[in-house]
Amino acid sequence: MAANKTLTMIKPDAVRNGHIGAILNQITEAGFQISAMKLTQLSLADAEAFYSVHKERPFFGELVEFMTSGPIVAAILEKDNAVEDFRTLIGSTNPAEAAEGTIRARFATSIGENAVHGSDSDENAQIEGDFHFAGREQF
Ligand code: GDP
C-alpha cells in the first residue's frame, strides 16, 4: 500500500443520481487504492461534528441538512501524494469553476451539492478516516 491517505465521501446527491460506480471507477483509474469503504448515512450529530470547522459559516445549516439527506459512500483512499492528487481529481468546490473532466465538473450540480468530499491535509485525512472507520475496517 502507498504511504499517503485521504478520506472521501460520495455525497447524497451523487448517490441519489446513480453515480457511485462511475465515481469509484474514476478514482481507481486515477491510481487510488481503496483501503476502507462503506455505504452509510450521517446522523445530524455526525454531520455537525464532521463539519464543525464550518459551524460559523452561513451555509452550515444547509450543509448539515444536505449531508444527512440520504446515504453516502465513505472511503479511505491510498496513493502517493493522496490528499493533493485527490483534490486535483475532484476539482474546485464550485462545479462551475471545476476543471473539465474532474469529478465535480462531471457529477456535481451546485457549490453545496458537489458530489464528493476530499480531505484537505494529511492530518485531517487521518482524523476523518478514523471518524468513519474502526481500526478493523481499515486495510
Ligand atoms: P471543499 O474542501 O472543496 O469540500 O470545500 P469547503 O471545505 O470550503 O466546504 C465544505 C463543503 O461545504 C463543500 O464541499 C460544500 O458541500 C459546502 N459548501 C461550501 N460553500 C458553500 C456555499 O456557499 N453554500 C452551500 N450551500 N454549501 C457550501
Side-chain angles (χ1 to χ4, degrees):
M1 277 285 177
N4 304 116
K5 297 178 187 182
T6 191
L7 184 282
T8 191
M9 295 182 287
I10 301 177
K11 296 185 179 184
D13 59 325
V15 172
R16 257 193 300 275
N17 294 331
H19 297 315
I20 294 174
I23 290 172
L24 289 177
N25 189 53
Q26 187 166 351
I27 289 170
T28 54
E29 287 287 313
F32 292 86
Q33 293 189 41
I34 297 169
S35 61
M37 187 164 69
K38 69 171 85 168
L39 185 69
T40 185
Q41 183 160 358
L42 296 176
S43 69
L44 189 62
D46 291 332
E48 285 177 349
F50 189 92
Y51 284 110
S52 61
V53 66
H54 293 307
K55 64 178 182 294
E56 306 302 337
R57 307 283 284 277
F59 58 81
F60 185 67
E62 239 174 74
L63 173 60
V64 165
E65 186 180 350
F66 164 59
M67 286 303 297
T68 58
S69 68
I72 62 163
V73 174
I76 297 174
L77 307 174
E78 298 201 1
K79 183 183 183 296
D80 291 336
N81 204 34
V83 166
E84 192 182 337
D85 285 1
F86 193 67
R87 301 280 306 184
T88 301
L89 184 69
I90 68 179
S92 300
T93 308
N94 184 348
E97 293 164 9
E100 193 182 337
T102 57
I103 292 175
R104 282 170 168 166
R106 293 179 67 198
F107 301 112
T109 50
S110 69
I111 191 168
E113 306 207 356
N114 60 3
V116 280
H117 169 82
S119 306
D120 64 3
S121 66
D122 288 347
E123 188 191 3
N124 282 337
Q126 185 68 45
I127 293 168
E128 293 174 358
D130 291 340
F131 177 92
H132 280 289
F133 297 100
R136 66 183 167 77
E137 297 176 305
Q138 301 185 28
F139 297 93

